[in-house]
Amino acid sequence: MRSDRAKLGVSKAPHRSLFKASGLTDEEIRRPIIGIVNSQNDIVPGHINLDKIAEAVKAGVRMAGGTPLQFHTIAVCDGIAMNHTGMKYSLVSRELIADTVEVMATAHPFDALVFIPNCDKVVPGMLMAAARLNLPSIFISGGPMLAGVHKKRKLSLSDMFEGSGAVGAGNMTEEELAEWENIACPTCGSCSGMFTANSMNCLTEAIGLGLPGNGSVPAVYSERIRLAKTAGMRIMDILEMDLRPLDILTQEAFRNAVAVDMALGCSTNTALHIPAIAHEAGLDVGFDLFNEISKVTPQICKLAPASEQHMEDLYGAGGVQGVVKELADAGLINVDLPTVSGTVRENLEKARITDREVIRPASDPYSADGGLAILWGSLAPEGSVVKKGAVASEMMVHEGPARVFESEEECSLAINRKEIQPGDVVVIRYEGPKGGPGMREMLAPTAAIAGIGLDKEVALITDGRFSGATRGASIGHVSPEAAEGGPIAFVRNGDRIRIDIPNHRMDLLVDDKEMENRRIGWTPKEPEIKTGYLKRYAKMVTSANTGAVFNDE
């Protein structure tokens, strides 16, 4: 066992004395030592229940003959960090989480690991760590929040952001918004739509590192506790089998995950995180693969913010396994790949689809192609990403004048002052990985545009990114970013921009000679924060189209 290096032999008597100082008996020390990687804290609503998940995991480990020992990672709530400086620290936490797990699991030689994430950057950060360490591992998330209900209408966090915009536009009263505020997020768990956290938890299940149910069983259901106990027991089998993350995280497994991503209409942030996880696994998964799979994979689910269906509806309809089953029956999934609970084919033996309004047949999808689209063109030579499944048909092709802003705050002020006009193409730059630094989410301006009723008339483009709760023609991850001298740095107010989502194009209608002239004497805008971790991050991070991973050099 790997833990033997810290507990066997005369030379390890000091080590054993320290284990005993923690209350471990000789029998517990002799057993396999299982690291429980927990991201529980008291501020993130998706994480406040993870102490209960961890206790259930520990019970499962002990039932199966192991000794569970817990350590923690950080976790940022993107909703609380939204539209202020705190959001600059969200994406960057992903690398810190991966590094933290690497440090803890190497300094203390665990035999296997159980990962307990839930919200946005924690899931991919832990997946990156699992690939990097390549120890026998399993994931058990905290589960999704239930939707709120107000006068028979389901609500989620995205409705709150849009409601704020509606109040500003005079379309809603503050009293009505206050009613929503008390209802929209009614339980613990990751916010109830197909936002980034739930997208990544579903894809963890689809790629094979989470048990069936990992992505969709609601946080407040007792089934989630039982699933956590099962994960604790299962890690002992995985250890005995010596099944490692890199046995599961193959190129074909990533293809399966991207197919499920397209079928579910997941967050655009998956186009950051999947490439980053693949990078840790030594694989190349980029925008080209997303586009290739999107072209042949139907979108068979539409969850909030693209509809009024929420995660609890997906759970009731058959969950992630129901989606995988529908894709497998259409020949779009490799069913012979290993997972932490058997092969994909074996998992699908129990899969059932019980609601065809939530999980549509592949023959009658919401869209014949996937929920995400990669756009290239003169404005994004290295690509950009849009959640196509949440774009109104009126905005699938759009051309309009640019309204350029140097930060999210500038744009939000203009929206609140009602300076954005129908037909405009809002451009927010210097919000990329380097330029932000930190690549903030833009849920506040997109929600404000939707809240004032312009989501079917105004497009928003940024080298930053969008929340999974964003809807409308919101195109992010524009690469190269402004701070690296990408074309987005040279857009001027009034320039015409043409967006053609069906043909995967986004072009700045300015001739090459004029663009050359604009580049003369250009220097990038100075970042707002030039100290601490963000200073180091800006020096090391690569472009959004590569997953915003650190430069290996």
Side-chain angles (χ1 to χ4, degrees):
M1 290 187 295
R2 185 170 181 267
S3 60
D4 288 348
R5 65 183 72 172
K7 64 185 187 183
L8 280 189
V10 173
S11 66
K12 298 304 185 292
H15 305 63
R16 292 193 295 274
S17 72
L18 291 169
F19 280 125
K20 290 179 178 180
S22 297
L24 297 187
T25 66
D26 286 327
E27 173 59 25
E28 287 174 304
I29 295 169
R30 280 193 291 270
R31 292 179 176 187
I33 296 180
I34 310 301
I36 312 300
V37 190
N38 192 356
S39 54
Q40 192 273 337
N41 62 43
D42 292 339
I43 191 168
V44 183
H47 291 236
I48 60 172
N49 66 320
L50 298 190
D51 53 347
K52 296 179 176 62
I53 299 296
E55 287 306 313
V57 168
K58 291 177 187 177
V61 169
R62 292 189 184 106
M63 283 190 285
T67 297
L69 296 177
Q70 177 178 246
F71 64 91
H72 286 265
T73 72
I74 61 172
V76 171
C77 176
D78 279 25
I80 295 173
M82 195 71 67
N83 74 352
H84 60 86
T85 302
M87 180 47 72
K88 292 179 182 288
Y89 289 84
S90 174
L91 177 62
V92 306
S93 71
R94 187 186 71 181
E95 269 58 34
L96 284 175
I97 291 163
D99 291 347
T100 297
V101 177
E102 177 190 358
V103 168
M104 289 296 290
T106 306
H108 314 98
F110 296 103
D111 295 302
L113 298 171
V114 181
F115 290 87
I116 308 176
N118 213 25
C119 291
D120 295 38
K121 308 311 157 304
V122 186
V123 188
M126 287 189 179
L127 285 165
M128 291 164 68
R132 187 184 303 174
L133 291 162
N134 202 30
L135 296 173
S137 299
I138 194 169
F139 279 66
I140 171 66
S141 76
M145 183 185 291
L146 296 180
V149 180
H150 181 262
K151 297 178 180 178
K152 297 185 178 180
R153 175 185 171 179
K154 286 188 175 181
L155 298 176
S156 70
L157 180 67
S158 63
D159 295 295
M160 289 306 304
F161 279 95
E162 292 184 16
S164 296
V167 170
N171 297 330
M172 186 178 190
T173 67
E174 289 189 38
E175 290 74 20
E176 288 172 320
L177 186 63
E179 287 184 27
W180 283 18
E181 180 182 324
N182 291 322
I183 293 169
C185 299
T187 73
C188 63
S190 48
C191 294
S192 57
M194 187 51 75
F195 311 150
T196 304
N198 289 323
S199 295
M200 290 307 304
N201 283 324
C202 287
L203 297 186
T204 299
E205 179 180 339
I207 209 167
L209 281 172
L211 294 171
N214 178 73
S216 64
V217 175
V220 293
Y221 284 16
S222 298
E223 184 180 349
R224 175 63 58 178
I225 299 297
R226 298 196 299 273
L227 192 67
K229 289 179 181 177
T230 303
M233 291 186 285
R234 184 61 184 167
I235 191 60
M236 300 303 295
D237 297 329
I238 293 168
L239 174 61
E240 184 176 353
M241 295 161 57
D242 196 29
L243 180 66
R244 310 268 178 149
L246 295 187
D247 298 327
I248 293 171
L249 296 176
T250 62
Q251 192 77 33
E252 284 299 306
F254 279 100
R255 293 183 70 90
N256 276 3
V258 174
V260 173
D261 188 349
M262 297 303 159
L264 283 171
C266 288
S267 165
T268 52
N269 283 313
T270 61
L272 273 176
H273 300 320
I274 290 178
I277 298 160
H279 178 77
E280 291 287 353
L283 301 172
D284 183 14
V285 173
F287 282 174
D288 287 336
L289 183 65
F290 277 76
N291 238 24
E292 174 195 336
I293 294 177
S294 178
K295 288 178 181 178
V296 298
T297 306
Q299 183 178 357
I300 57 176
C301 296
K302 261 197 179 182
L303 279 72
S307 78
E308 292 190 9
Q309 296 172 355
H310 292 73
M311 289 301 298
E312 63 211 62
D313 300 304
L314 177 64
Y315 164 75
V320 174
Q321 293 303 307
V323 175
V324 175
K325 174 179 170 54
E326 186 62 26
L327 295 180
D329 289 346
L332 297 170
I333 289 288
N334 186 330
V335 297
D336 296 318
L337 302 182
T339 77
V340 291
S341 52
T343 65
V344 175
R345 188 191 305 277
E346 290 167 342
N347 289 337
L348 291 181
E349 290 175 2
K350 296 181 180 179
R352 299 290 183 272
I353 301 172
T354 59
D355 189 336
R356 282 302 191 176
E357 289 299 311
V358 178
I359 303 176
R360 284 196 176 182
S363 59
D364 181 28
Y366 286 102
S367 171
D369 52 2
L372 297 185
I374 309 299
L375 310 185
W376 284 274
S378 61
L379 189 53
E382 294 176 3
S384 60
V385 187
V386 63
K387 189 169 185 174
K388 181 180 70 65
V391 178
S393 58
E394 296 95 324
M395 293 298 294
M396 296 298 282
V397 176
H398 178 76
E399 182 180 320
R403 290 294 310 279
V404 182
F405 301 94
E406 306 297 321
S407 70
E408 178 188 1
E409 287 83 358
E410 284 187 19
C411 178
S412 294
L413 281 174
I415 295 170
N416 292 337
R417 292 171 182 161
K418 302 180 181 179
E419 295 172 2
I420 304 303
Q421 301 299 314
D424 282 348
V425 178
V426 174
V427 176
I428 307 176
R429 62 191 177 199
Y430 291 104
E431 292 286 5
K434 287 182 181 295
M439 202 180 183
R440 287 191 288 182
E441 288 186 346
M442 304 289 163
L443 179 56
T446 59
I449 287 171
I452 61 178
L454 290 178
D455 56 298
K456 296 180 180 179
E457 299 178 83
V458 170
L460 197 154
I461 296 169
T462 182
D463 53 5
R465 60 195 179 93
F466 295 111
S467 165
T470 292
R471 62 186 176 95
S474 303
I475 303 164
H477 307 197
V478 172
S479 302
E481 64 175 288
E484 292 192 321
I488 193 172
F490 305 102
V491 182
R492 293 181 180 174
N493 283 322
D495 287 347
R496 304 291 293 182
I497 294 174
R498 181 170 175 78
I499 299 163
D500 186 346
I501 294 173
N503 288 306
H504 301 270
R505 294 289 306 182
M506 184 171 67
D507 291 293
L508 176 62
L509 304 182
V510 174
D511 66 52
D512 292 343
K513 181 63 176 177
E514 173 62 19
M515 290 297 287
E516 288 176 16
N517 290 336
R518 293 182 186 184
R519 290 178 183 275
I520 296 171
W522 171 82
T523 56
K525 174 189 168 187
E526 283 286 312
E528 177 185 322
I529 298 175
K530 295 177 280 190
T531 59
Y533 178 55
L534 282 188
K535 177 182 178 180
R536 298 194 299 276
Y537 181 88
K539 288 182 177 179
M540 294 185 290
V541 72
T542 61
S543 177
N545 69 301
T546 63
V549 298
F550 281 170
N551 189 324
D552 290 334
E553 298 176 2

